[in-house]
Amino acid sequence: MARGKPEAIALGPGSLFIGVLATPEPMDLVTPWESVSPNWTGLGYTDEGSTLNYTVDSENVEVAEELDPIAVALVSREVTLDFALAQITATNLRVALNGGTITAGAGIVTFEPPDLGEELRVMLGWQSEDGTERWVFRKGLQVGNMEISRGKGASKATIGCSFKLERPSGAKLFKAMLAAPVRL
């Protein structure tokens, strides 16, 4: 007798996508992101995949007559998506620096960062390699330190990103789509 559902075990790093705010969202698990909207762009390779962090802060409601809290009040929530892009491109620099200007010329592409106050919020997407999960993060801003390290041998340069989610107008922070009945 099985103690769980082995088919519900999630493996692999998946693929990351980025889109401008209000880009149409996938409605299923099979339509390619770029077919949903040409505003979705794949971010390419990452160093070690991505990590979704969901943190809730709370405070106890206490009274003198009880030893235990009589309630727990939620006071804040923070959701971040962290990853290190393994492709050093002007497009990925634009992702890590919340915008900027890319100019392509004959045999060269240049990137210049945005001015303070001109940062762009974006949508992010993630899809599992086995096609059983898709996540849409509706509004995020890259708040992590951008650091590009160079080393010898097989040590590759990466662009670290930590996107903090913000509440989008009229919508929830994110949507997760999971294959049914496997992930019910």
Side-chain angles (χ1 to χ4, degrees):
M1 177 177 187
R3 290 181 224 145
K5 297 191 300 187
E7 65 275 12
I9 302 296
L11 302 173
S15 299
L16 287 165
F17 297 86
I18 192 166
V20 298
L21 289 182
T23 294
E25 300 176 9
M27 302 304 287
D28 59 40
L29 294 171
V30 296
T31 304
W33 290 79
E34 297 85 355
S35 295
V36 172
S37 171
N39 287 335
W40 285 113
T41 304
L43 290 177
Y45 293 127
T46 63
D47 188 36
E48 295 182 3
S50 57
T51 302
L52 174 64
N53 300 292
Y54 184 100
T55 305
V56 176
D57 287 330
S58 64
E59 293 179 359
N60 290 341
V61 178
E62 298 188 20
V63 295
E65 293 78 16
E66 295 290 341
L67 209 52
D68 303 311
I70 60 167
V72 176
L74 299 181
V75 294
S76 70
R77 169 174 62 188
E78 182 172 284
V79 182
T80 62
L81 183 63
D82 301 326
F83 50 87
L85 298 167
Q87 297 177 186
I88 307 300
T89 65
T91 300
N92 283 349
L93 288 173
R94 189 171 197 268
V95 168
L97 295 173
N98 296 310
T101 304
I102 297 173
T103 306
I108 189 172
V109 61
T110 62
F111 170 78
E112 295 179 284
D115 288 331
L116 186 62
E118 294 182 1
E119 298 85 5
L120 299 175
R121 269 74 172 162
V122 296
M123 294 179 73
L124 294 162
W126 183 87
Q127 179 170 324
S128 64
E129 290 183 357
D130 66 2
T132 61
E133 286 180 76
R134 273 190 174 173
W135 293 70
V136 176
F137 306 98
R138 294 183 170 122
K139 185 178 181 183
L141 182 69
Q142 204 289 109
V143 297
N145 295 332
M146 189 190 81
E147 177 179 274
I148 302 175
S149 297
R150 309 287 180 154
K152 66 180 181 176
S155 177
K156 65 186 167 299
T158 61
I159 304 172
C161 295
S162 180
F163 278 86
K164 190 178 287 189
L165 300 188
E166 298 176 338
R167 179 174 285 289
S169 179
K172 304 285 186 184
L173 289 177
F174 62 87
K175 171 175 72 174
M177 292 177 279
L178 309 170
V182 174
R183 300 208 184 248
L184 186 59

